[in-house]
Amino acid sequence: MEFFRIKKDIPFMRHALIFNIISLITFLAAVFFLWHKGLHLSVEFTGGTVMEVSYKNAADLDRIRNTVRDLGFGNDFQVQNFGRAQDVMINLPVQKDLTSAQQSEKVMTALLAQNPDARLQRVEFVGPQVGDELTHDGLMALAMVVIGIIIYLAFRFEWKYAISAIIANLHDIVIILGFFAFFEWEFSLSVLAAVLAILGYSVNESVIIFDRIRENFRKMRKASVMEIVNHAITSTISRTIITHGSTQLMVLSMLIFGGPTLHNFALALTIGICFGIYSSVFVAAAVAMWLGIKREDLVKPVKERGNTDGAVV
């Protein structure tokens, strides 16, 4: 299905170097923020007590932080809004001398003394061992997905395509994590699920383009590699708009109307979809071209019969 068809190929690869320099700068910035700030891990990973407190009016986060800090929690706790300005989430570290119930009672007593309008909505406890297991399992899941993608693309296409697709996927994932590190958004299990989904979603777009490149190598015998790649990307634009446009509309509906529970999940998907389209065109295809893809890599040689125009029979 196509909404439109572009008759003249768009020279994407002519500007690939410029866009890849921009990608490299963005990637390095994301790595820097991950190293400098780190991820704002949820209590599911770190272990501890999470409290949800609501107020009648907008909450004063700085005042709440000072109140919790005065209780002896140091700087290991986290206070942030979620959903509305009146709702506050407080993450408290595990303390050996206090249970989760005692921690929440201690904090609520101080918050009520500060503002009688404070209301405790929810208290949840996650043990440190569970958090460590979730972190280990999450990293293993990411590693297995990456390995699976490499094996799949290496068998379906050729190792150059597998490398270029993995570079593009890692580009998307690191940038998503960089956004969460820079803005200090909470990284929870739902966000990890979104990251894993983007890995598969992004590689699907790369496979579509690689398939069209393979088809063009068979049809466009006299064209250069750059012309073949440009034609492959141009001919799939209509499909890309339909697929990613409909997916993005669904994700945006979750982001806008899904509430705080789905907010970070939809946010990670939104960033991943946008950068996934970009990386499939300007990262995966360009890297594959620079790695020296050739007609022989994808098209098995066939015997040519004697003819004057050089066509393969």
Side-chain angles (χ1 to χ4, degrees):
M1 179 180 178
E2 290 183 338
F3 280 152
F4 57 87
R5 179 174 293 180
I6 300 175
K7 296 182 179 180
K8 186 177 180 180
D9 291 343
I10 301 173
F12 290 102
M13 294 300 100
R14 181 188 301 172
H15 311 289
L17 180 59
I18 296 175
F19 284 107
N20 274 246
I21 291 174
I22 296 174
S23 297
L24 180 60
I25 294 173
T26 308
F27 180 87
L28 293 177
V31 171
F32 171 77
F33 290 125
L34 284 170
W35 169 77
H36 180 66
K37 288 189 171 183
L39 289 174
H40 177 60
L41 296 175
S42 68
V43 69
E44 298 161 328
F45 293 104
T46 60
T49 302
V50 57
M51 300 174 56
E52 292 180 7
V53 182
S54 64
Y55 293 84
K56 290 184 178 180
N57 300 315
D60 187 344
L61 295 185
D62 290 334
R63 191 177 178 188
I64 295 174
R65 289 190 184 100
N66 292 332
T67 300
V68 177
R69 186 177 293 110
D70 292 340
L71 296 176
F73 289 100
N75 293 316
D76 295 332
F77 66 92
Q78 296 167 344
V79 177
Q80 63 182 21
N81 284 118
F82 74 100
R84 305 180 306 161
Q86 296 91 335
D87 297 326
V88 179
M89 179 179 291
I90 304 173
N91 291 329
L92 303 173
V94 176
Q95 290 186 327
K96 295 181 179 179
D97 55 339
L98 292 176
T99 64
S100 178
Q102 291 172 332
Q103 278 185 318
S104 60
E105 183 179 356
K106 181 179 178 180
V107 171
M108 277 307 302
T109 301
L111 293 179
L112 286 170
Q114 175 197 94
N115 188 341
D117 293 335
R119 293 291 180 270
L120 180 64
Q121 301 296 332
R122 181 174 70 94
V123 177
E124 184 177 321
F125 175 75
V126 177
Q129 184 177 359
V130 176
D132 292 340
E133 290 178 359
L134 288 174
T135 302
H136 175 267
D137 292 344
L139 292 175
M140 287 297 296
L142 281 173
M144 294 303 294
V145 169
V146 171
I147 293 172
I149 290 172
I150 292 175
I151 295 173
Y152 166 72
L153 291 177
F155 274 101
R156 177 162 181 173
F157 297 101
E158 207 252 356
W159 67 268
K160 296 173 185 176
Y161 294 87
I163 291 176
S164 60
I166 288 301
I167 291 175
N169 279 1
L170 292 180
H171 165 272
D172 299 340
I173 299 308
V174 171
I175 287 180
I176 293 174
L177 298 180
F179 267 96
F180 273 79
F182 178 76
F183 291 104
E184 297 183 354
W185 297 329
E186 186 179 56
F187 189 86
S188 61
L189 281 177
S190 62
V191 177
L192 176 60
V195 169
L196 292 173
I198 289 300
L199 273 171
Y201 188 86
S202 179
V203 77
N204 178 67
E205 183 67 22
S206 299
V207 167
I208 295 296
I209 294 176
F210 290 164
D211 266 332
R212 191 58 61 92
I213 290 174
R214 176 164 55 185
E215 180 182 337
N216 290 344
F217 269 130
R218 293 191 179 100
K219 292 180 178 180
M220 304 167 64
R221 293 287 177 174
K222 296 182 179 180
S224 66
V225 174
M226 182 178 291
E227 290 172 340
I228 286 174
V229 174
N230 286 333
H231 183 73
I233 298 172
T234 303
S235 60
T236 57
I237 284 181
S238 181
R239 176 258 171 206
T240 298
I241 292 175
I242 295 172
T243 303
H244 297 289
S246 58
T247 305
Q248 191 63 73
L249 284 175
M250 180 272 294
V251 173
L252 285 176
S253 66
M254 287 195 297
L255 181 65
I256 298 172
F257 304 110
T261 303
L262 295 176
H263 181 77
N264 285 352
F265 172 74
L267 193 60
L269 286 177
T270 300
I271 298 170
I273 290 172
C274 293
F275 278 94
I277 301 171
Y278 169 84
S279 66
S280 295
V281 175
F282 292 109
V283 179
V287 170
M289 184 181 68
W290 289 331
L291 286 175
I293 57 174
K294 298 177 293 186
R295 192 182 312 275
E296 294 77 10
D297 294 335
L298 295 177
V299 182
K300 294 181 180 180
V302 295
K303 294 182 179 180
E304 298 186 6
R305 299 174 183 173
N307 52 7
T308 56
D309 59 357
V312 178
V313 180

